[in-house]
Amino acid sequence: MKKLFMVLTLACLMSPARALEPPADVKAVDTPNDEGSSITVSWGRSPQDQGDATVFKGYQVLRAENANGPFAEVGFVICGKSDFRDNVESHKNYYYQVRAIAFSDSSQAIAAGPATATAQWFDSSRGNVLILTIIICFLIIWYIERAKKGEELFIRKIQGLDAIDEAVGRSTELGKPIMFSFGLGEIKDIVTVAALAILRQVAVRCAQHGTELLVPNWDPLVMAAAQETVQQAYSEPGRPDLYKEGNVSFLTSDQFGYAAGVDGMMLRQKPGAVFFMGYFYAEALLMSETGHSIGAIQIAGTTAITQLPFFIASCDYTLIGEEMLAASCYLKRDPQLLGSLKGEDFIKAFLIIGFALMAVWGTAGYILNNAGNPWMMDIFQAVKNWFITG
Amino acid sequence: MKKEIPLAITFITGLIIIVTFFIPHQPLGTMQQRLLLWYSIVLGFTMLLGMDSLLRSNIRKIAKRSPGWPFALVLIIGFLGTLIVGIYTWATSESLLSLGSSFMYVYTYFIIPLQATMFSLLAFFIASAAYRAFRARTMEATLLLITAAIVMLGRVPIGAEIWDKFPLIQDWIMEVPQMAAKRGIVIGVALGTIAMSLRVILGLERTYLT
């Protein structure tokens, strides 16, 4: 028995170790849908690559400008991966080699090429976005044109916007100022542009009633736009003398510093009404709860989904998502602007019907697929995949 | 012309941004990044405007002895102190944020604790807001209270100890009704953003021009 064990052990030790197999089917192709600055190298994983980094290190990628070399390493890909994107100059031929690397061994290099990076004139992976954008824009413009012809358009009441007059009126009666915050929105955020329209309306009412308006800002560019908006709004009812530049001021670009500053202003100046319009993060509740504690009427509006529940809990009125973006149309009542809202509503109705149909289709497809008939499920998957952006 | 030129600039810029999303070829491919770079440069200069506004309004408060003027004084001292330490660190250290530098000391022992203090207040504000929102006065508030209680119990270990179905119900609430409502809002916001952008590009929305 002892002899047999020794023979088996020796046999194991003397048998040649299995050589590390190279990656298979190495390909180097121009990266699709880019500006012509990269080549994608792909390969089939070595049979020894089981995704275990303690056994198999990964793949060494080498590049040369001639088929005969010299090849130099341009990247290393960890085990389990089978492609590499190499940044190169456009319109130049490149050759590649890929070698599998284990801890004790490396495979022979497998070559591919030549490959040339070229720029594309159209990103085909975004074709679905282009088609949907064209349809949506067409519908919105079509409804705007219909509105131009004088068609009567209905818009439902938005309580948060109707309450602007009430809030300004109450503050005036109490002899208290009004505060307006854009949160941490930047001027390039569309929600900040929408908030400027609301600020304009608030400022006009403040000028009419002679009420002080305070606008502390987090972003200096938004501050500059707000100063212009408020100044212009005060001129509309003929009260430019009431505009004070110091009331539309910059506080800080630090998130919690801004919240502390706004809270401090609220506690010292006790505004009768506070407007939170724009994009907010964690500071939303810090500010709105302070506003609630001083008994101010609070009207909030944001597209930040994570902060909406906080505003709903602590403010008197909240503009939810798209209501905020519809504010300028609602306040101006311009038929062309209302037309764009109508177009938006039409697309929403279309989407709701589409979702309902696809839900029914997908459920039926799942049942049929389980019964061995996959055609409905295949169509469902094809439609779903079409909507996934590349 | 005062209105037409800005409208033309907006229209052309908006169109370029849309086109560059679909065309990766140069020079359009990197145009969006380039415009964002310009935006950052403009933003850097407007920071000076911001500092001017901050200092002027607070110096005015101190000069007029307005209510709360000592806070304005603290702000001015803090601003100048940080600026002086920053300039000193910039002149003497490799980087403003290098470990052991004076500016890093100010950042670590002044700014971070102040930020953390404000952030920690959020816990108390969440409790007070939740108390008001969950008071069972109406049908909706009662529903909200029950749902919130289930979600909270489903997310803590003691919930599963009380009833092993709490985590499952919590998962269902978060993944089905909550997710459906959230996606509804997201789709509305996306369509609203497209419509608003179109109104800005076509010149129908001119509020930003004042």
Side-chain angles (χ1 to χ4, degrees), chain A residues 98-153:
Chain A
V98 182
R99 181 183 288 150
I101 308 281
F103 276 89
S104 54
D105 197 7
S106 64
S107 75
Q108 66 177 102
I110 303 297
T116 312
T118 50
Q120 279 73 53
W121 279 103
F122 179 68
D123 186 344
S124 58
S125 68
R126 290 174 176 175
N128 50 1
V129 182
L130 180 66
I131 293 169
L132 287 173
T133 307
I134 290 169
I135 294 171
I136 291 170
C137 292
F138 170 77
L139 284 169
I140 291 172
I141 292 168
W142 190 56
Y143 272 99
I144 289 171
E145 289 303 315
R146 278 179 63 173
K148 271 185 194 171
K149 288 174 190 164
E151 191 178 321
E152 196 74 14
L153 297 171

Side-chain angles (χ1 to χ4, degrees), chain B residues 97-126:
Chain B
L97 299 176
S98 57
L99 288 174
S101 71
S102 312
F103 187 78
M104 206 54 192
Y105 181 85
V106 171
Y107 186 73
T108 312
Y109 296 106
F110 286 84
I111 297 172
I112 291 178
L114 286 169
Q115 287 175 332
T117 307
M118 279 308 290
F119 194 33
S120 60
L121 285 175
L122 202 57
F124 301 100
F125 284 137
I126 285 177

